[in-house]
Amino acid sequence: MDTPKIPAPRDEGEKQVLQQLVLIRDQLLLRKLDRTTYVRTQDVMVLYDQTIEQVKKLNQIRKGKITSEENQVDRVVDSCFQLLSLFFMTIGRNNEAPAAYALTSTIKRLLDHLTEADLFSAKDLESMSQTLEGLSEIVHNTTATNSAPFLETLIANRIDRCRASLAQLQQKIEDIAEPLRPTADKLVSILRQMAVANTKPKFSPSDIRKFDSQLKEISDKRKDGNFIGSDGEVLKGSDGVSSLLDRCVSYTAVMLERNGQFPDKWRPTYDVLVGIRNELDKLSLTQAWSLRETDLYDFQRQLDKIDESRIDGNWVDDQGQPAELYVQRTLLYLIRRSYGYIYHLMISSEPVSEALLPIYNQLQTLKRCLIEVKNNGGVSSVRELYPYSMKLNSIDNMRVDGKFMVGDDIPEGQGSVTELLAECFDLNYELRVAAEELTAKSATPEASS
């Protein structure tokens, strides 16, 4: 809806649906901005049910009609489901189909960009492949209780499209001989590290030049411009990896020539993208304590808008001139990096309501501390475990009839928090038993003498 390219609906019924969906979307946006209270499941489900009801009406209106043109209704439907998906993560219902909507959008964007840039490693694809498997399982296991088989079908179709795109990328890796794949991965890593150095607040030529020796070392492995196997034959994929090496070398030259100077007419877009990337980078470091998943919506929409403003794959200035290759590659790197952060933050989201996250995070910290103590030989006396025991007991005493309550609400994620609490108690008990045995052993000689 932010762009005139998306027409308004012509059908009267669709116009009414659009009005209702805009109201729902606005309520979701207002709820997203409210940080005074945690997001309650019942508030989200009311808006979810209202959205489903409107989409059912929309499907009924369009039944039997052939329409391929996307209009503003489709955009607002997408915004509502995108927001609801992030709200489902916020309330801890990560393992239900609606939560998969936002993640499939992000994976699709990432795969499109990896295809466009032709720059990826097996590790990139492995993570997304595992995530898609998990999402597929969630969608197939979701029972259409209150909802919408059409939403599950929609998400399943999105997963299938992502898998098809993923398969094409995986085939490109298969087209590289096994012995040559580490070299390809190394070049991908170098190119990405150079892109990071190129977008630092202060450009340092030495950061770029340090890659020269690595690139020369890789180039020296070639014979007559080809990568040769142990049998003396040219390795499969040699041309592609050589082309990637050439990209690295030419990119190095261009960056050193530019010396960190970015064209003024593209500077506003560049600054916005650097700001988004830096904010997401901070969130990735403090996620457990500071992230509300719905915060990702604004980042996504900003990135989508900039990404979709391209014409034939490139940005165009006020005079209709396309951005030069250096500008295009730099902006695309920043967009891809930001989508990568969003993907990481989504898959790291815990299936626990934000109301229980403070307790959950404390238990995560306690568990890490207890594991660290155990790995470093345990404790010499039970007394050293008192701080851990007191903290665990204080958390355990928060429960009412075995549930962690917030007011009269029972937030989502009770099982995850209870399981984590039990793990901490088990670790604490193991350490206490070991300490008691140690104390008993050391006391035995004195007793006998």
Side-chain angles (χ1 to χ4, degrees):
M1 287 193 65
D2 294 328
T3 166
K5 288 189 292 185
I6 308 298
R10 295 190 185 93
D11 183 275
E12 273 305 314
E14 287 201 20
K15 287 177 183 175
Q16 290 174 20
V17 169
L18 176 60
Q19 287 177 350
Q20 292 303 312
L21 285 169
V22 166
L23 290 174
I24 294 167
R25 185 198 59 187
D26 291 348
Q27 288 181 69
L28 287 164
L29 288 170
L30 284 171
R31 187 65 196 86
K32 179 180 79 67
L33 293 171
D34 182 6
R35 308 296 289 223
T36 57
T37 57
Y38 75 92
V39 179
R40 301 189 312 161
T41 299
Q42 51 266 49
D43 296 338
V44 174
M45 294 313 295
V46 166
L47 293 168
Y48 173 72
D49 290 341
Q50 289 175 10
T51 304
I52 294 298
E53 189 58 37
Q54 292 305 315
V55 176
K56 281 180 181 175
K57 286 182 184 177
L58 180 64
N59 288 344
Q60 197 60 40
I61 291 166
R62 291 179 172 179
K63 195 172 183 180
K65 295 180 184 177
I66 300 171
T67 173
S68 57
E69 185 184 47
E70 184 183 61
N71 65 33
Q72 290 177 5
V73 186
D74 300 288
R75 277 299 173 104
V76 181
V77 167
D78 177 64
S79 292
C80 288
F81 279 140
Q82 198 79 14
L83 279 161
L84 284 164
S85 183
L86 294 168
F87 270 114
F88 265 68
M89 291 186 195
T90 303
I91 61 175
R93 295 175 77 156
N94 303 45
N95 297 323
E96 296 181 30
Y101 190 92
L103 195 43
T104 53
S105 298
T106 302
I107 291 174
K108 183 69 171 67
R109 289 272 179 184
L110 277 173
L111 289 169
D112 286 347
H113 281 155
L114 292 178
T115 302
E116 180 182 13
D118 198 18
L119 188 71
F120 52 90
S121 66
K123 193 176 177 183
D124 297 330
L125 306 186
E126 187 182 338
S127 172
M128 283 187 273
S129 178
Q130 289 175 354
T131 302
L132 288 170
E133 285 302 316
L135 292 179
S136 184
E137 201 172 311
I138 287 168
V139 171
H140 287 125
N141 290 343
T142 298
T143 52
T145 47
N146 200 10
S147 71
F150 66 80
L151 177 59
E152 289 158 36
T153 303
L154 172 64
I155 296 169
N157 289 339
R158 287 157 72 108
I159 290 171
D160 287 342
R161 284 198 296 274
C162 288
R163 278 177 167 161
S165 182
L166 190 67
Q168 290 177 350
L169 294 174
Q170 283 170 331
Q171 185 56 54
K172 289 191 174 185
I173 288 177
E174 293 295 323
D175 289 340
I176 299 173
E178 192 80 42
L180 196 49
R181 287 178 198 171
T183 302
D185 289 347
K186 178 68 176 172
L187 289 169
V188 169
S189 174
I190 287 173
L191 206 46
R192 286 176 175 172
Q193 288 177 71
M194 286 196 291
V196 171
N198 186 45
T199 51
K200 281 183 177 178
K202 286 187 178 179
F203 180 79
S204 171
S206 60
D207 285 345
I208 306 300
R209 288 196 186 98
K210 71 181 182 183
F211 296 112
D212 279 344
S213 59
Q214 295 180 43
L215 293 172
K216 188 175 184 309
E217 192 179 310
I218 292 171
S219 182
D220 289 345
K221 291 179 182 176
R222 294 188 293 179
K223 186 176 180 182
D224 298 328
N226 293 311
F227 290 96
I228 307 298
S230 55
D231 58 359
E233 296 293 319
V234 175
L235 288 167
K236 187 170 84 164
S238 173
D239 287 347
V241 177
S242 289
S243 173
L244 185 53
L245 174 59
D246 292 340
R247 275 174 70 182
C248 290
V249 172
S250 62
Y251 195 38
T252 305
V254 171
M255 282 191 286
L256 290 171
E257 181 189 329
R258 293 303 175 113
N259 199 35
Q261 299 302 310
F262 205 78
D264 289 341
K265 65 180 174 182
W266 299 108
R267 191 82 204 185
T269 305
Y270 174 83
D271 288 341
V272 168
L273 288 173
V274 167
I276 291 171
R277 183 204 55 187
N278 292 347
E279 282 297 313
L280 289 167
D281 183 40
K282 283 181 202 169
L283 275 175
S284 70
L285 296 173
T286 60
Q287 175 189 11
W289 303 97
S290 61
L291 177 71
R292 177 187 268 188
E293 283 82 357
T294 49
D295 296 341
L296 298 175
Y297 178 81
D298 293 332
F299 294 119
Q300 279 184 310
R301 281 300 178 245
Q302 279 181 286
L303 291 168
D304 291 351
K305 195 172 179 181
I306 294 171
D307 196 18
E308 290 168 11
S309 68
R310 293 190 283 159
I311 297 171
D312 295 329
N314 200 353
W315 286 274
V316 175
D317 65 17
D318 297 338
Q319 283 73 47
Q321 295 299 309
E324 59 190 293
L325 190 59
Y326 170 75
V327 169
Q328 184 188 14
R329 283 186 175 173
T330 303
L331 297 180
L332 279 174
Y333 156 73
L334 289 167
I335 287 178
R336 282 197 302 274
R337 189 75 189 98
S338 296
Y339 279 126
Y341 275 126
I342 289 171
Y343 169 74
H344 168 74
L345 289 164
M346 283 184 182
I347 63 171
S348 303
S349 172
E350 300 286 358
V352 174
S353 164
E354 67 170 351
L356 294 184
L357 270 181
I359 297 171
Y360 188 81
N361 289 334
Q362 287 178 56
L363 288 170
Q364 288 275 46
T365 304
L366 268 171
K367 182 182 174 181
R368 280 195 293 269
C369 290
L370 289 166
I371 288 172
E372 192 70 24
V373 169
K374 184 179 177 182
N375 291 341
N376 283 287
V379 293
S380 54
S381 72
V382 174
R383 185 179 293 275
E384 291 176 48
L385 291 172
Y386 283 177
Y388 303 109
S389 301
M390 288 172 66
K391 185 63 183 175
L392 284 171
N393 285 321
S394 72
I395 292 174
D396 192 30
N397 290 336
M398 290 180 184
R399 293 196 285 181
V400 178
D401 296 328
K403 303 286 184 188
F404 289 97
M405 306 282 288
V406 178
D408 295 330
D409 293 332
I410 304 173
E412 304 281 345
Q414 297 286 330
S416 297
V417 179
T418 303
E419 185 181 340
L420 190 53
L421 178 62
E423 287 176 21
C424 289
F425 268 121
D426 287 345
L427 281 165
N428 195 55
Y429 178 73
E430 284 177 36
L431 288 165
R432 192 183 69 178
V433 168
E436 285 171 348
E437 287 176 355
L438 193 67
T439 304
K441 280 181 185 176
S442 60
T444 304
E446 293 176 19
S448 58
S449 61

